[in-house]
Every structure is written in C-alpha cells, then in structure tokens.
C-alpha cells in the first residue's frame, strides 16, 4: 500500500493508522493524492497483490477513493486465539 501511494498517487502526505478492535487487527493507509479512477479500480489487475494478500489472511480489504481526493485502504484481519 505504501509502495503504491509513493509510486502512483503524487501524494504529499500518507498516514498510517493501526489498532486492535473487536477481535480484528485494523490497518489503514490513506493518502491525499490523485485517487484511483473508478474504471481502473474495477480491473482485476488493479490492487491484485493487495487483494491476494488480504485473501490469504482471511481479511477484508476496503478501498475508498475518489479522483483528486486521495485513497484510503483499510485492512481488517481477524485475530484468533490458539
């Protein structure tokens, strides 16, 4: 997510927020960059690696983006006790 923000967003600021909430590890990465075109976001290749990693962790990946308004990625990984 950081690599994508640095490489593609033209952002001047990237924030990272991490917390544990309701049995989940939650990671949010947000930038104030150019955002992702909605048509591009629908393509299978866009964010493929992030989606594959989330799936491998049985996690939810939420992408909130708008052209000219930046992008926010939220990853929620369920925590299980052994």
């Amino acid at each position: 997510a950081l690599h994508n923000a640095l490489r593609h967003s033209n952002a001047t600021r990237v924030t990272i927020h991490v917390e544990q909430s309701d049995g989940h590890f939650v990671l949010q990465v947000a930038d104030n960059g150019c955002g992702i075109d909605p048509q591009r976001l629908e393509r299978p290749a866009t964010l493929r690696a992030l989606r594959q990693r989330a799936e491998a962790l049985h996690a939810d990946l939420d992408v909130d983006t708008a052209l000219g308004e930046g992008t926010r990625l939220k990853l929620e990984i369920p925590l299980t006790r052994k």
Side-chain angles (χ1 to χ4, degrees), residues 1-9 14-16 27-31 47 49-50 53 61 71-75:
L2 288 174
H3 180 261
N4 287 347
L6 292 171
R7 186 169 178 206
H8 302 292
S9 75
V14 176
T15 58
I16 301 169
L27 170 67
Q28 293 186 66
V29 178
D31 67 59
L47 302 176
L50 291 177
R53 291 178 186 129
L61 177 65
T71 301
R72 181 186 60 85
L73 299 174
K74 181 178 179 183
L75 180 70

Side-chain angles (χ1 to χ4, degrees), residues 18-66:
V18 177
E19 68 179 305
Q20 181 179 337
S21 176
D22 297 325
H24 289 85
F25 173 82
V26 182
L27 170 67
Q28 293 186 66
V29 178
D31 67 59
N32 66 345
C34 61
I36 303 171
D37 184 313
Q39 291 179 344
R40 183 169 185 178
L41 193 57
E42 291 179 16
R43 295 180 195 162
T46 302
L47 302 176
R48 179 183 310 165
L50 291 177
R51 293 182 197 282
Q52 288 173 339
R53 291 178 186 129
E55 185 178 318
L57 294 168
H58 305 286
D60 292 322
L61 177 65
D62 180 49
V63 181
D64 183 23
T65 186

